[in-house]
Amino acid sequence: LRDRILVLKEKIDDVQKQRDLHRRGRKKGGLPVLALVGYTNAGKSTLLNCLTKAGILAENILFATLDPTTRRVKLPGYKTHPEVLLTDTVGFIQKLPTQLVAAFRATLEEVREADVLVHVLDVSNPTWKKQEVSVTKVLEDIGAGDKPIVRVFNKLDLLDEEDAEMLKYEAVCSDDYSVGISSFTGAGLSDFVAVVEDALSGLLVPVELELPYSCGQEVNLIHEVGSIEIIDYREKGTYVMGRVPRSLAMKLDKYSVAQRDGLVDDESDEDELDWAALGKGRHEKKIV
């Protein structure tokens, strides 16, 4: 038995190393990561299937999803991020036994590394509010309690019409990111996409860039992971105004229009002053 435990621990460590490599690759790609979380049987895998047609196991059994599954998806109607990475995780339960913590380590790591958590709630279950509290506590325990959370009131199709409408109204009026859907019928998914977009919009920062035409790969990356408001092909390069993830903005900072103009101004103070304008009192340093 002791030997089997050692073998299992080695396998878990190997899985963790592989997931670390995959996670670094996803970060390098710059796409935002959404992690589906929730009490077991809340409908996370069904929602993933509905959005991506991934065919992930979706059954009404405890821990049907032990291995976190990530899919690159283009959500319909999405504007802020054309594409996102969507990860399904293990269903949570109350007072998770300590013996199972190691087995769930991979899926819990995916939750910690996600940009936004999608908390799927089975509102057809009479105890769904207690389940929500349990999941929230686990998220806090693993250090993910401060992440943006989209609350998804799932399985509205199993409620009577009046109760379903009340939950939809509660979601619309809430101060947080909440939405009512049925992952089984697909009802409310357009609203879900809009709410996710709102949650992700806070991850983007504004940029104004002029990239050399040799930087075509960088322009394509902005299209993939950001939102372009203005693009113009100028003499010296491609002008882009939009919003991108902060990490990408830092990488592209050397192409920033503000920084470029600041450098030009510094040089112009000594070498390129407009003496005629200065004599007439009209030469002022440009404010960026």
Side-chain angles (χ1 to χ4, degrees):
L1 180 59
R2 185 177 301 139
D3 292 339
R4 290 183 62 187
I5 291 175
L6 290 175
V7 171
L8 288 174
K9 285 183 177 180
E10 289 178 359
K11 288 184 178 180
I12 290 173
D13 290 338
D14 289 339
V15 169
Q16 184 178 10
K17 291 177 182 177
Q18 292 176 6
R19 297 224 165 267
D20 287 341
L21 291 174
H22 293 162
R23 197 175 295 117
R24 284 197 292 270
R26 292 201 297 266
K27 283 185 176 180
K28 197 172 183 181
L31 292 177
V33 179
L34 309 179
L36 298 171
V37 300
Y39 210 81
T40 188
N41 300 330
K44 298 181 300 300
S45 295
T46 305
L47 177 57
L48 180 67
N49 292 344
C50 186
L51 293 170
T52 69
K53 309 300 180 185
I56 306 304
L57 180 64
E59 298 179 0
N60 189 31
I61 57 176
L62 196 63
F63 307 138
T65 309
L66 286 175
D67 184 47
T69 303
T70 301
R71 292 289 183 269
R72 180 170 177 160
V73 298
K74 182 176 290 186
L75 299 179
Y78 217 66
K79 298 177 182 178
T80 304
H81 289 273
E83 292 183 323
V84 299
L85 295 175
L86 197 59
T87 298
D88 190 15
T89 63
V90 65
F92 294 4
I93 62 170
Q94 285 182 314
K95 299 179 180 179
L96 184 66
T98 55
Q99 302 94 316
L100 297 178
V101 171
F104 296 154
R105 180 164 42 178
T107 196
L108 296 179
E109 286 170 354
E110 295 295 331
V111 172
R112 282 197 299 265
E113 295 295 328
D115 297 304
V116 172
L117 306 181
V118 179
H119 187 176
V120 183
L121 299 158
D122 176 7
V123 294
S124 69
N125 190 311
T127 63
W128 71 267
K129 292 186 178 180
K130 291 183 178 180
Q131 293 178 354
E132 180 179 16
V133 172
S134 297
V135 172
T136 301
K137 186 179 185 305
V138 173
L139 294 176
E140 292 174 351
D141 290 343
I142 65 175
D146 59 343
K147 291 184 177 294
I149 296 179
V150 175
R151 297 168 70 228
V152 179
F153 298 151
N154 191 30
K155 302 189 182 182
L156 292 182
D157 55 300
L158 299 181
L159 301 178
D160 60 54
E161 186 175 352
E162 183 177 351
D163 290 341
E165 289 300 321
M166 283 295 295
L167 279 174
K168 288 181 183 178
Y169 181 78
E170 179 182 336
V172 170
C173 295
S174 65
D175 295 330
D176 56 11
Y177 305 114
S178 298
V179 63
I181 71 163
S182 168
S183 57
F184 182 74
T185 66
L189 287 186
S190 59
D191 295 332
F192 167 78
V193 172
V195 172
V196 167
E197 184 174 70
D198 289 341
L200 282 171
S201 63
L203 303 176
L204 301 181
V205 296
V207 293
E208 186 180 7
L209 310 166
E210 188 169 276
L211 298 102
Y213 285 116
S214 59
C215 295
Q217 185 174 357
E218 285 79 359
V219 175
N220 290 336
L221 185 59
I222 295 173
H223 276 288
E224 287 183 7
V225 304
S227 173
I228 294 181
E229 299 169 9
I230 300 174
I231 186 167
D232 186 25
Y233 300 98
R234 300 179 175 178
E235 181 180 353
K236 295 183 178 180
T238 305
Y239 172 83
V240 174
M241 178 183 287
R243 299 173 65 84
V244 298
R246 187 176 300 277
S247 58
L248 180 57
M250 294 175 64
K251 292 179 182 178
L252 300 177
D253 186 60
K254 60 184 176 181
Y255 303 117
S256 168
V257 171
Q259 181 174 348
R260 180 203 63 188
D261 290 348
L263 292 174
V264 170
D265 290 339
D266 290 341
E267 293 173 355
S268 65
D269 286 345
E270 295 180 4
D271 302 326
E272 298 178 10
L273 286 176
D274 186 342
W275 293 104
L278 184 63
K280 297 177 182 179
R282 290 189 289 104
H283 189 93
E284 296 179 356
K285 188 171 183 179
K286 188 175 181 182
I287 299 175
V288 178

